[in-house]
Structure formats: C-alpha cells, structure tokens
Amino acid sequence: MKTSELILAIETSCDETAAAVIEGGRIIRSNIVASQIESHKRFGGVVPEIASRHHVEQITLVIEEAIQQAGIQKEELDAIAVTQGPGLIGALLVGVNAAKALAFSIGKPLIGVHHIAGHIYANRLEQEFKFPLLALVVSGGHTELVLMKEHGSFEVIGETRDDAAGEAYDKVARTLQLPYPGGPRIDKLAAEGEQSIDFPRAWLEPESYDFSFSGLKSAVINTLHNAKQKGETFAPADVAASFQASVVDVLVGKTIRAAEAFGAKQVIVAGGVAANRGLRASLEEVFADKQADLLIPPLALCTDNAAMIGAAASILYQQEKFADLSMNAKASMPL
Amino acid sequence: MNILAMDTSNQLLGVAIVKDGVTLGEHVMHGHRDHSVRLLPAIEQLMKETKTTPADLDRIVVGQGPGSYTGVRISMATAKTMAWALGIDVIGVSSLEGLAHQGELFSGYVCPFFDARRGQVYTALYASNSDSFEQIDEIVNPLFSDWLEQLREKGERILFLSPDIEMYRSMIIEILGEQAIIPEAAIHYARPSVLAQIGAARKADDLHQIVPNYVRMTEAESNWLKQQEQQK
Ligand SMILES: [Zn+2]
C-alpha cells in the first residue's frame, strides 16, 4: 500500500454535511463543512428529518468543492471513506449511499469509519500519535475514555452511564433559557461567573472510569426551581460557572487518573466539547507537569468534519480493511 | 443512449438498464427495510449481467418519490452522486408517474397511489386515452376517503394502481362501486424500465439542486408554523 494515499471522506452523521480530501492520513488537502445550525436553531435542537433533507441538498456540492479545493481529479483518489455510524440514521444514510455510489462509479475501494475514531484521529492531523494513548471523547452524544495501544485499536475503559456531557450542557442551557446551541453559551457565561453553588460531582465507584451527568443536571434544575419558589434568584453566570466546574472536575479527574494508571504517553481530547475553554484550561493546568503530552485539536477539527474521517480511514486503508457495496449505516455501533 | 433507472421510494427496490429504448435488464425486489444495503449491489449485479460499465452510462433516471422519506433519499443520494462522478445527466421522475404509466393503455382516469399512513395517501390523477396521457393537477396527500369522494364526482371509469391496493380495495369499491377498475396483482408494482422510458425524453435536472419530492413538510416545520400562527 502506498503511504501518501489520497482519501475522499464524507461525514453526515448529524447536522453538518462535510467532505474532505486527506493525503497520507495527516495532510488536509481540503476540508469542506456545510453547517445547518441556522436551520435547526428555531427548533432548539437538531431535527433529524430536516438534517437528512439538507444532506441531500448539499452532498454533491460539498464533494465537488472538496475535490476542487484539493486541486485533484477524482480519478486520482485512492479510496472513498464515509462515517458509517454512530449517528442519526437518516442522516448517515445520505453519506453512506453517496460514498458507495462514488466508490462504485470511479472503481475505488470503500472504507466505513466509526465517528468516534474520526474524532480521535482529528488529532493526528496535528501531531503523530505515541502509544499508549488515552483519548477523552466529549460531545453531544458521547463521554468516553478510550485507550489505544496501537493504530486502529480502541479500548473503551470508561463511558457515560446516562447523559453525555454535551447533553447535560444543552439541558442546563435550556433551563437557563440560553439559545441553541447551549454548550458554547454556558462556557462563555461560566467565564464571567463565580463558582458559588456547590453542585455534586458524580465520581461513582473509586476504581471506575465511567461518567454520570444526569444527577448533576437534575441538581441544577432543582436548585433553580427551589430558589424560584423562595423568591430567590441566582445569577445565570454563577450557575453556569458552578455547573461547568462540576463537569470539568470529573472529566479532568478521571482522565488524569486513567492516564497515570495506563502510562499514557499522549492524552487526546476529542469531540465537540473539546472546544470548551473551561475544560481546555483545566486540562492544560493539570497536565502541565505530567509525563503525558496533552493534545487538543484546533476548534475547526473538534466539531464534526470530514477531515477527521479521512484521517481515521487512512489506517484502515493501510490495513486494507475495505467495505463492500452492501455496507449499511448504523445508528449505533461499537468502537 | 444507455440509461440506468432506480427507485427506492416505496416498498419496491427497482433498478433497470435501458439501451436505446431496449430494456437490457431490470431488477425488482420487495423489502423496504434494507434498500440501503441492496441498492448498490443490485446496480452492480445488473450492470455486470448486461455487460454495462459505469463509463457506458449516458443518464441516470431516479424515482423522485413521494414515498418513504428515508427510502427516497437513498436512491436520490445514489443517483446524484453517480451522475456527478460520471459527469452525466440526472433526471427525476415522479414515482407516481412511473406507476401510472403502467395503465397507459387504459382509456379513462388513472389513479396511482402510495399509502402515507393514518388513512392518507400520496396520489395524483392522470387522464389516459388512445393518443395522450396527461397528469391532472399536482401530487397531493389527502385522506384517501376524501380523495375517493372527489373522484366519484368525475363520473368516469378510474383505474387504480398501487402496491398498497389490498389495504384499500374495499374502501375503493365501497365509495366508487363499478366506477373503479382494480386489476390483478402484477401491474400494481412499478417497473423501473418504465421510469427509464419516461426519463429518456426529459430534460436533465440540475444535478446539485435535485431533491426528493416529499410532498409534505416535516412535522417540526408544520408544528412551528402552527405555533407562529397562534402567537399572532
Ligand atoms: Zn461528532
């Protein structure tokens, strides 16, 4: 297998229609994202059917732009990669069928990529991996600690037992009547507030790397509700700061413990919540004097994009792990 | 001209290859749960058997729905992307029209329909006689019982074609009696070669712009509009 292969990657698992061309797993030749955030705003969250409809409208446009910006002809591609899952099934199906159609039409191999593998590999577009590697994956749908001993091998050592961190952010944002998407708003507000409310930290069993955020979410809602009944008010900035402190404490605490227990050489933060400034600052502080190098991708690579899918696909290409034309989209699938 | 036609908007998965008006082959399968798994393998197999390569294709005709939102997107995403990759034309044809054309030898009205749940259908009406075949009005999404009452007013014979005919046979006969003509099984299943034939004569669509004809807006959008109305 050649090592400077050109992969066109497609990502449509949620509300971004994206295509990218990645060279040799590490060089971004193009990275196109058509965001639908404006269409979903008025509904206060992503509407799956609307997302799917937008994907059909955008799919050939983003593919064409990715090829053009990469400055290549589609015949020069070595493989077509696509997010197979997990995600919104109707949304995934658009990308999967487009990828199959393209691979068949130009006679190139097809590669199915796990969305979370993509988020992790986004970091390899910045810096080469060193194993063992620990990844903290935090997004609207995921909160996981993943241990990697070599390329393409993923061991989930901890995961959320209820809500994902990003979900908790969205729900608390709604309670504070912040507009969608709530996560970034809370992060911004938290920077202006004081940690004046003592919200619980769900550490679970001492040896566990699992997470739980539903208790925290309920605590925030109850605190605000009780205060309202007593005619008291909390400054939204203080609520945001206190809530964020609780989330960040647990995420950072479990990450550092796992990094030390497994002797991680690198600790990677992946997923949309990796853009959170509170989380970044706290991780940077804690890992400053530790053995493991901390890697957090730039903002554009944290949120959903196709470059990360192409980066993860490169490993599967080298391992010749190709999919056939009966590949299907999967709403949930193991990493 | 080599045409690849496909439709996955309802229960049937249909793929056909038509060369200069001759159907080289077609593949029709039931089972709307796994169109996404079966469509590309069906295309690949049929092309192999008809000794057609992707590069031989001149245009792609795709059933534009209405039907299952997810189903119609599977063939639309496939058709658009193949047409883009091969640099050829894509033509969308109403899936109801494809079915209706199977009744073109009939003289009178032809009413194709697809079940749309909760007593509703997707349907349109066509006027057929020995020298013309025309669609009357737009595709609609009515309660089927209301639609049948409207058709009764026409006072003429109406041929019904639908893969969901058995669900509605007694209702049709109850409302329209002798006015309704309901043929036996096979003709209720749309053949993709008919879609290819219709698409052969059409002007190409804009490859990037073409989308399924969902007929309905999404539930979220219609609820939102209702809310806006109430707030006025
Ligand atoms: Zn994601």
Side-chain angles (χ1 to χ4, degrees):
Chain A
M1 283 282 142
K2 67 177 184 187
T3 53
S4 58
E5 85 287 339
L6 285 172
I7 294 180
L8 176 95
I10 297 171
E11 149 68 39
T12 63
S13 68
C14 191
D15 62 340
E16 323 272 3
T17 319
V21 174
I22 299 300
E23 180 181 337
R26 301 210 48 217
I27 301 165
I28 301 175
R29 294 286 295 264
S30 63
N31 186 17
I32 309 300
V33 181
S35 174
Q36 307 174 0
I37 210 157
E38 287 304 320
S39 308
H40 297 282
K41 237 178 192 166
R42 63 183 157 145
F43 304 111
V46 175
V47 180
E49 176 59 24
I50 294 176
S52 305
R53 290 187 179 192
H54 281 304
H55 288 315
V56 180
E57 290 163 16
Q58 296 293 328
I59 191 72
T60 51
L61 284 166
V62 298
I63 294 173
E64 182 171 277
E65 208 174 326
I67 296 282
Q68 276 171 3
Q69 282 199 14
I72 58 164
Q73 302 296 315
K74 54 185 172 287
E75 291 71 24
E76 293 173 57
L77 292 168
D78 294 293
I80 309 299
V82 64
T83 306
Q84 189 181 358
L88 302 171
I89 188 69
L92 287 164
L93 280 168
V94 175
V96 164
N97 282 283
K100 292 204 279 187
L102 179 52
F104 172 69
S105 298
I106 62 175
K108 303 291 179 178
L110 177 69
I111 300 171
V113 176
H114 194 287
H115 183 75
I116 295 305
H119 273 304
I120 295 172
Y121 270 88
N123 282 278
R124 195 169 175 245
L125 295 163
E126 293 287 305
Q127 200 170 326
E128 184 55 277
F129 283 179
K130 279 186 265 174
F131 302 106
L133 175 159
L134 181 73
L136 170 67
V137 183
V138 267
S139 70
H142 296 271
T143 310
E144 282 162 23
L145 276 168
V146 181
L147 181 68
M148 289 182 69
K149 292 180 178 147
E150 60 184 333
H151 277 302
S153 129
F154 307 94
E155 192 187 330
V156 178
I157 58 166
E159 60 196 325
T160 181
R161 294 184 186 170
D162 39 61
D163 294 354
E167 252 175 298
Y169 267 91
D170 283 341
K171 283 177 190 161
V172 168
R174 227 170 287 163
T175 309
L176 290 174
Q177 293 176 318
L178 300 173
Y180 173 85
R185 307 258 174 184
I186 292 203
D187 188 24
K188 194 163 171 240
L189 209 51
E192 299 157 10
E194 297 253 344
Q195 296 170 33
S196 56
I197 314 161
D198 191 21
F199 289 129
R201 270 89 173 135
W203 294 106
L204 306 173
E205 306 79 49
E207 74 286 359
S208 176
Y209 296 113
D210 282 350
F211 301 96
S212 166
F213 293 105
S214 73
L216 170 61
K217 176 195 72 192
S218 309
V220 175
I221 295 170
N222 288 340
T223 304
L224 290 177
H225 182 77
N226 292 342
K228 200 177 169 189
Q229 285 195 327
K230 287 187 217 153
E232 296 166 5
T233 50
F234 284 112
D238 293 349
V239 176
S242 308
F243 162 76
Q244 175 142 309
S246 171
V247 175
V248 168
D249 262 7
V250 176
L251 289 177
V252 174
K254 298 222 173 199
T255 304
I256 187 86
R257 190 158 60 77
E260 284 174 348
F262 294 97
K265 292 204 175 97
Q266 279 176 342
V267 172
I268 274 177
V269 189
V273 182
N276 184 287
R277 285 175 301 174
L279 178 62
R280 280 175 180 246
S282 177
L283 283 165
E284 275 158 13
E285 194 187 313
V286 170
F287 278 93
D289 57 351
K290 293 289 188 258
Q291 284 290 312
D293 293 334
L294 180 69
L295 271 64
I296 307 179
L299 198 60
L301 292 177
C302 287
T303 48
D304 289 351
N305 63 84
M308 68 186 202
I309 301 302
S314 172
I315 302 301
L316 297 167
Y317 177 84
Q318 295 302 332
Q319 295 173 343
E320 298 183 51
K321 286 186 180 157
F322 300 124
D324 65 34
L325 293 175
S326 66
M327 178 173 83
N328 203 6
K330 289 182 176 159
S332 62
M333 64 190 277
L335 181 62
Chain B
M1 181 163 65
N2 289 316
I3 299 177
L4 168 65
M6 64 182 88
D7 193 348
T8 60
S9 54
N10 288 277
Q11 300 94 314
L12 291 196
L13 177 153
V15 179
I17 298 203
V18 175
K19 183 179 187 180
D20 300 327
V22 179
T23 303
L24 297 186
E26 61 187 318
H27 174 103
V28 179
M29 280 295 294
H30 268 273
H32 64 299
R33 291 196 167 276
D34 49 6
H35 287 339
S36 165
V37 173
R38 292 181 180 191
L39 178 59
L40 240 307
I43 292 171
E44 186 183 37
Q45 179 69 16
L46 189 61
M47 289 183 70
K48 206 195 254 172
E49 284 181 17
T50 58
K51 298 194 169 57
T52 313
T53 67
D56 296 332
L57 296 174
D58 299 296
R59 58 169 49 188
I60 294 178
V61 178
V62 58
Q64 213 164 350
S68 144
Y69 297 163
T70 297
V72 68
R73 273 193 290 269
I74 289 170
S75 46
M76 184 57 76
T78 303
K80 281 177 85 154
T81 312
M82 276 191 81
W84 175 80
L86 298 168
I88 60 176
D89 287 341
V90 64
I91 291 92
V93 174
S94 150
S95 302
L96 284 167
E97 185 179 353
L99 180 56
H101 267 267
Q102 302 196 150
E104 68 187 345
L105 293 179
F106 181 77
S107 193
Y109 288 111
V110 177
C111 173
F113 68 89
F114 301 128
D115 177 47
R117 301 209 189 125
R118 283 176 270 168
Q120 297 181 353
V121 294
Y122 296 117
T123 189
L125 196 62
Y126 295 79
S128 175
N129 62 48
S130 53
D131 51 29
S132 79
F133 190 87
E134 273 176 293
Q135 185 177 334
I136 305 164
D137 298 331
E138 296 291 284
I139 294 173
V140 285
N141 176 215
L143 271 176
F144 198 38
S145 52
D146 293 352
W147 175 248
L148 291 172
E149 295 290 350
Q150 278 181 45
L151 292 183
R152 192 168 58 180
E153 313 281 298
K154 305 253 177 210
E156 280 182 55
R157 294 197 313 160
I158 300 164
L159 175 72
F160 287 89
L161 294 173
S162 175
D164 305 310
I165 195 77
E166 290 313 325
M167 261 167 98
Y168 291 103
R169 182 187 287 269
S170 57
M171 186 194 280
I172 296 170
I173 292 171
E174 196 179 304
I175 297 177
L176 288 167
E178 302 261 293
Q179 211 183 323
I181 312 294
I182 303 178
E184 287 316 306
I187 202 167
H188 292 290
Y189 304 117
R191 295 178 57 182
S193 54
V194 177
L195 212 61
Q197 180 195 313
I198 300 168
R202 294 264 165 94
K203 205 166 109 254
D205 281 289
D206 181 315
L207 179 111
H208 294 304
Q209 301 290 328
I210 186 173
V211 288
N213 181 2
Y214 300 105
V215 180
R216 294 199 278 222
M217 72 171 81
T218 66
E219 241 175 83
E221 286 166 309
S222 55
N223 289 343
W224 186 82
L225 284 176
K226 259 184 237 159
Q227 264 178 16
Q228 299 300 106
E229 277 301 308
Q230 281 163 4
Q231 280 167 13
K232 265 180 201 168

